[in-house]
Protein backbone atom coordinates (compact mmCIF):
# COMPACT_ATOMS: atom_id res chain seq x y z
CA UNK A 1 0.00 0.00 0.00
CA UNK A 2 1.39 3.46 -0.85
CA UNK A 3 2.52 5.76 1.93
CA UNK A 4 -0.22 8.30 2.63
CA UNK A 5 0.44 11.42 4.68
CA UNK A 6 -2.57 13.07 6.26
CA UNK A 7 -5.31 13.15 8.85
CA UNK A 8 -7.23 10.02 9.77
CA UNK A 9 -9.99 8.87 12.09
CA UNK A 10 -10.40 5.58 13.90
CA UNK A 11 -14.17 5.12 13.85
CA UNK A 12 -16.36 2.91 16.05
CA UNK A 13 -19.20 1.67 13.83
CA UNK A 14 -21.39 0.95 16.87
CA UNK A 15 -21.29 4.45 18.31
CA UNK A 16 -19.90 6.67 15.55
CA UNK A 17 -17.29 8.00 17.99
CA UNK A 18 -13.89 8.81 16.53
CA UNK A 19 -10.25 9.23 17.40
CA UNK A 20 -8.49 11.71 15.12
CA UNK A 21 -4.78 11.75 14.38
CA UNK A 22 -2.23 12.71 11.79
CA UNK A 23 0.68 10.79 10.33
CA UNK A 24 3.25 10.80 7.54
CA UNK A 25 2.36 7.14 7.00
CA UNK A 26 -1.27 6.47 7.93
CA UNK A 27 -1.13 2.73 7.23
CA UNK A 28 1.86 2.21 9.52
CA UNK A 29 0.26 4.41 12.19
CA UNK A 30 -2.99 2.38 12.02
CA UNK A 31 -0.92 -0.76 12.60
CA UNK A 32 0.72 0.90 15.63
CA UNK A 33 -2.67 1.89 17.06
CA UNK A 34 -4.02 -1.66 16.69
CA UNK A 35 -0.91 -3.18 18.26
CA UNK A 36 -1.17 -0.89 21.29
CA UNK A 37 -4.90 -1.50 21.60
CA UNK A 38 -4.44 -5.29 21.43
CA UNK A 39 -1.89 -5.15 24.25
CA UNK A 40 -3.92 -2.69 26.35
CA UNK A 41 -1.30 0.07 26.08
CA UNK A 42 -2.95 2.76 23.96
CA UNK A 43 -2.41 6.37 24.98
CA UNK A 44 -6.12 7.19 24.77
CA UNK A 45 -7.81 5.57 27.76
CA UNK A 46 -11.21 6.30 26.16
CA UNK A 47 -10.32 4.48 22.94
CA UNK A 48 -8.71 1.64 24.88
CA UNK A 49 -11.86 1.13 26.98
CA UNK A 50 -14.10 1.14 23.89
CA UNK A 51 -11.80 -1.38 22.18
CA UNK A 52 -11.75 -3.62 25.26
CA UNK A 53 -15.54 -3.42 25.71
CA UNK A 54 -16.38 -4.36 22.12
CA UNK A 55 -14.97 -6.22 19.16
CA UNK A 56 -11.95 -4.98 17.18
CA UNK A 57 -14.05 -5.56 14.07
CA UNK A 58 -16.19 -2.55 15.12
CA UNK A 59 -13.31 -0.17 14.39
CA UNK A 60 -12.10 1.01 11.01
CA UNK A 61 -9.71 3.57 9.63
CA UNK A 62 -11.02 6.54 7.65
CA UNK A 63 -8.71 8.94 5.82
CA UNK A 64 -10.10 12.43 6.35
CA UNK A 65 -7.63 14.54 4.40
CA UNK A 66 -4.34 14.09 2.61
CA UNK A 67 -1.84 16.60 3.95
CA UNK A 68 1.80 17.31 3.17
CA UNK A 69 4.02 16.24 6.06
CA UNK A 70 4.91 19.87 6.79
CA UNK A 71 1.31 20.79 7.63
CA UNK A 72 0.29 17.75 9.67
CA UNK A 73 0.35 19.14 13.20
CA UNK A 74 -1.67 22.23 12.29
CA UNK A 75 -4.25 20.23 10.32
CA UNK A 76 -4.57 17.65 13.10
CA UNK A 77 -5.27 20.44 15.60
CA UNK A 78 -7.87 21.92 13.24
CA UNK A 79 -9.67 18.58 12.81
CA UNK A 80 -9.64 17.88 16.56
CA UNK A 81 -11.01 21.34 17.31
CA UNK A 82 -13.71 21.40 14.62
CA UNK A 83 -15.03 17.91 15.39
CA UNK A 84 -14.95 18.19 19.18
CA UNK A 85 -13.55 14.67 19.57
CA UNK A 86 -12.00 15.50 22.94
CA UNK A 87 -15.54 15.82 24.33
CA UNK A 88 -17.52 13.51 22.06
CA UNK A 89 -14.92 11.04 20.85
CA UNK A 90 -11.77 9.25 21.97
CA UNK A 91 -9.13 11.97 21.86
CA UNK A 92 -8.05 12.85 25.37
CA UNK A 93 -6.47 16.24 24.77
CA UNK A 94 -6.47 18.83 21.99
CA UNK A 95 -2.68 19.15 21.64
CA UNK A 96 -1.47 16.30 19.43
CA UNK A 97 1.75 14.79 20.67
CA UNK A 98 1.60 11.37 19.08
CA UNK A 99 4.43 10.43 16.73
CA UNK A 100 3.90 11.48 13.15
Amino acid sequence: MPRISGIYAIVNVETGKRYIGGSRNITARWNQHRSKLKTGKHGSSKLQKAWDDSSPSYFYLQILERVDKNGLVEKEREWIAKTGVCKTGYNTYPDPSSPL
Side-chain angles (χ1 to χ4, degrees), residues 7-12 16-22 29 33 42-47 59-62 64 76 80 83 85 89-93 96-99:
I7 309 303
Y8 62 88
I10 298 171
V11 183
N12 181 327
K17 289 185 177 184
R18 300 183 290 175
Y19 174 92
I20 292 179
R29 186 68 177 123
H33 278 293
H42 197 275
S44 167
S45 57
K46 293 191 262 183
L47 180 56
F59 294 86
Y60 70 92
L61 181 73
Q62 176 184 29
L64 300 173
E76 183 178 354
I80 289 171
T83 58
V85 291
Y90 300 126
N91 289 73
T92 53
Y93 48 88
S97 63
S98 62

Side-chain angles (χ1 to χ4, degrees), residues 1 4 8 11 13 25 30-32 35 48 57-58 61-62 66 74 78 89-91 94 96 99:
M1 184 172 239
I4 299 170
Y8 62 88
V11 183
V13 297
N25 185 339
W30 173 228
N31 290 332
Q32 290 172 346
S35 176
Q48 185 69 61
S57 64
Y58 290 174
L61 181 73
Q62 176 184 29
R66 289 180 183 233
E74 295 80 16
E78 286 176 28
Y90 300 126
N91 289 73

